[in-house]
mmCIF file of all heavy atoms in Angstrom:
data_model
loop_
_atom_site.group_PDB
_atom_site.id
_atom_site.type_symbol
_atom_site.label_atom_id
_atom_site.label_comp_id
_atom_site.label_asym_id
_atom_site.label_seq_id
_atom_site.Cartn_x
_atom_site.Cartn_y
_atom_site.Cartn_z
ATOM 1 N N ASP A 167 11.106 58.151 -28.299
ATOM 2 C CA ASP A 167 10.301 57.649 -29.420
ATOM 3 C C ASP A 167 8.800 57.749 -29.150
ATOM 4 O O ASP A 167 7.979 57.407 -30.012
ATOM 5 C CB ASP A 167 10.699 56.210 -29.775
ATOM 6 C CG ASP A 167 10.424 55.219 -28.643
ATOM 7 O OD1 ASP A 167 9.790 55.606 -27.638
ATOM 8 O OD2 ASP A 167 10.855 54.053 -28.764
ATOM 9 N N GLY A 168 8.446 58.199 -27.955
ATOM 10 C CA GLY A 168 7.035 58.404 -27.623
ATOM 11 C C GLY A 168 6.245 57.138 -27.387
ATOM 12 O O GLY A 168 5.021 57.184 -27.267
ATOM 13 N N LYS A 169 6.924 55.987 -27.277
ATOM 14 C CA LYS A 169 6.199 54.721 -27.124
ATOM 15 C C LYS A 169 6.035 54.287 -25.663
ATOM 16 O O LYS A 169 5.166 53.487 -25.349
ATOM 17 C CB LYS A 169 6.921 53.611 -27.905
ATOM 18 C CG LYS A 169 6.846 53.805 -29.418
ATOM 19 C CD LYS A 169 7.556 52.678 -30.160
ATOM 20 C CE LYS A 169 7.454 52.874 -31.677
ATOM 21 N NZ LYS A 169 8.197 51.819 -32.417
ATOM 22 N N ARG A 170 6.891 54.818 -24.787
ATOM 23 C CA ARG A 170 6.807 54.432 -23.382
ATOM 24 C C ARG A 170 6.967 55.658 -22.484
ATOM 25 O O ARG A 170 7.409 56.727 -22.919
ATOM 26 C CB ARG A 170 7.861 53.386 -23.032
ATOM 27 C CG ARG A 170 7.682 52.072 -23.792
ATOM 28 C CD ARG A 170 8.644 51.000 -23.326
ATOM 29 N NE ARG A 170 8.284 50.449 -22.022
ATOM 30 C CZ ARG A 170 7.361 49.495 -21.846
ATOM 31 N NH1 ARG A 170 6.708 48.991 -22.881
ATOM 32 N NH2 ARG A 170 7.106 49.035 -20.644
ATOM 33 N N VAL A 171 6.596 55.477 -21.224
ATOM 34 C CA VAL A 171 6.691 56.562 -20.247
ATOM 35 C C VAL A 171 7.365 56.028 -18.986
ATOM 36 O O VAL A 171 7.026 54.929 -18.520
ATOM 37 C CB VAL A 171 5.291 57.116 -19.879
ATOM 38 C CG1 VAL A 171 5.404 58.287 -18.906
ATOM 39 C CG2 VAL A 171 4.541 57.533 -21.128
ATOM 40 N N ALA A 172 8.343 56.786 -18.462
ATOM 41 C CA ALA A 172 8.930 56.467 -17.159
ATOM 42 C C ALA A 172 8.053 57.130 -16.103
ATOM 43 O O ALA A 172 7.940 58.357 -16.066
ATOM 44 C CB ALA A 172 10.360 56.962 -17.066
ATOM 45 N N VAL A 173 7.418 56.317 -15.288
ATOM 46 C CA VAL A 173 6.477 56.829 -14.295
ATOM 47 C C VAL A 173 7.065 56.651 -12.901
ATOM 48 O O VAL A 173 7.577 55.585 -12.563
ATOM 49 C CB VAL A 173 5.120 56.080 -14.392
ATOM 50 C CG1 VAL A 173 4.203 56.477 -13.253
ATOM 51 C CG2 VAL A 173 4.452 56.389 -15.728
ATOM 52 N N ASN A 174 6.967 57.694 -12.079
ATOM 53 C CA ASN A 174 7.437 57.642 -10.703
ATOM 54 C C ASN A 174 6.226 57.586 -9.777
ATOM 55 O O ASN A 174 5.402 58.499 -9.778
ATOM 56 C CB ASN A 174 8.281 58.888 -10.425
ATOM 57 C CG ASN A 174 9.051 58.820 -9.119
ATOM 58 O OD1 ASN A 174 9.406 59.849 -8.579
ATOM 59 N ND2 ASN A 174 9.323 57.640 -8.603
ATOM 60 N N ALA A 175 6.086 56.483 -9.035
ATOM 61 C CA ALA A 175 4.937 56.320 -8.128
ATOM 62 C C ALA A 175 5.343 55.492 -6.922
ATOM 63 O O ALA A 175 6.023 54.473 -7.064
ATOM 64 C CB ALA A 175 3.773 55.645 -8.859
ATOM 65 N N ARG A 176 4.950 55.944 -5.735
ATOM 66 C CA ARG A 176 5.237 55.228 -4.478
ATOM 67 C C ARG A 176 6.715 54.867 -4.325
ATOM 68 O O ARG A 176 7.064 53.793 -3.834
ATOM 69 C CB ARG A 176 4.387 53.963 -4.373
ATOM 70 C CG ARG A 176 3.006 54.199 -3.802
ATOM 71 C CD ARG A 176 2.302 52.887 -3.514
ATOM 72 N NE ARG A 176 2.936 52.155 -2.433
ATOM 73 C CZ ARG A 176 2.728 52.372 -1.128
ATOM 74 N NH1 ARG A 176 1.916 53.327 -0.749
ATOM 75 N NH2 ARG A 176 3.325 51.643 -0.221
ATOM 76 N N GLY A 177 7.605 55.767 -4.767
ATOM 77 C CA GLY A 177 9.027 55.517 -4.594
ATOM 78 C C GLY A 177 9.591 54.458 -5.508
ATOM 79 O O GLY A 177 10.653 53.898 -5.246
ATOM 80 N N GLU A 178 8.890 54.164 -6.594
ATOM 81 C CA GLU A 178 9.391 53.215 -7.593
ATOM 82 C C GLU A 178 9.367 53.886 -8.966
ATOM 83 O O GLU A 178 8.606 54.826 -9.190
ATOM 84 C CB GLU A 178 8.515 51.952 -7.651
ATOM 85 C CG GLU A 178 8.403 51.185 -6.343
ATOM 86 C CD GLU A 178 9.575 50.262 -6.076
ATOM 87 O OE1 GLU A 178 10.701 50.553 -6.554
ATOM 88 O OE2 GLU A 178 9.379 49.258 -5.371
ATOM 89 N N VAL A 179 10.206 53.363 -9.881
ATOM 90 C CA VAL A 179 10.199 53.851 -11.262
ATOM 91 C C VAL A 179 9.691 52.731 -12.160
ATOM 92 O O VAL A 179 10.232 51.629 -12.157
ATOM 93 C CB VAL A 179 11.608 54.299 -11.715
ATOM 94 C CG1 VAL A 179 11.572 54.751 -13.173
ATOM 95 C CG2 VAL A 179 12.119 55.435 -10.829
ATOM 96 N N PHE A 180 8.639 53.007 -12.898
ATOM 97 C CA PHE A 180 8.031 52.040 -13.804
ATOM 98 C C PHE A 180 8.228 52.479 -15.249
ATOM 99 O O PHE A 180 8.182 53.668 -15.550
ATOM 100 C CB PHE A 180 6.528 51.906 -13.546
ATOM 101 C CG PHE A 180 6.161 51.472 -12.151
ATOM 102 C CD1 PHE A 180 5.987 52.416 -11.147
ATOM 103 C CD2 PHE A 180 5.989 50.137 -11.847
ATOM 104 C CE1 PHE A 180 5.650 52.030 -9.857
ATOM 105 C CE2 PHE A 180 5.642 49.729 -10.553
ATOM 106 C CZ PHE A 180 5.479 50.686 -9.565
ATOM 107 N N SER A 181 8.426 51.500 -16.117
ATOM 108 C CA SER A 181 8.394 51.766 -17.557
ATOM 109 C C SER A 181 7.042 51.277 -18.054
ATOM 110 O O SER A 181 6.723 50.089 -17.967
ATOM 111 C CB SER A 181 9.528 51.022 -18.269
ATOM 112 O OG SER A 181 9.408 51.181 -19.671
ATOM 113 N N VAL A 182 6.240 52.216 -18.554
ATOM 114 C CA VAL A 182 4.842 51.928 -18.896
ATOM 115 C C VAL A 182 4.619 52.160 -20.390
ATOM 116 O O VAL A 182 5.073 53.170 -20.932
ATOM 117 C CB VAL A 182 3.893 52.835 -18.074
ATOM 118 C CG1 VAL A 182 2.437 52.540 -18.402
ATOM 119 C CG2 VAL A 182 4.157 52.663 -16.583
#
Side-chain angles (χ1 to χ4, degrees):
D167 64 8
K169 292 181 179 177
R170 297 186 74 82
V171 182
V173 173
N174 191 203
R176 275 189 67 83
E178 301 278 28
V179 178
F180 301 88
S181 174
V182 181

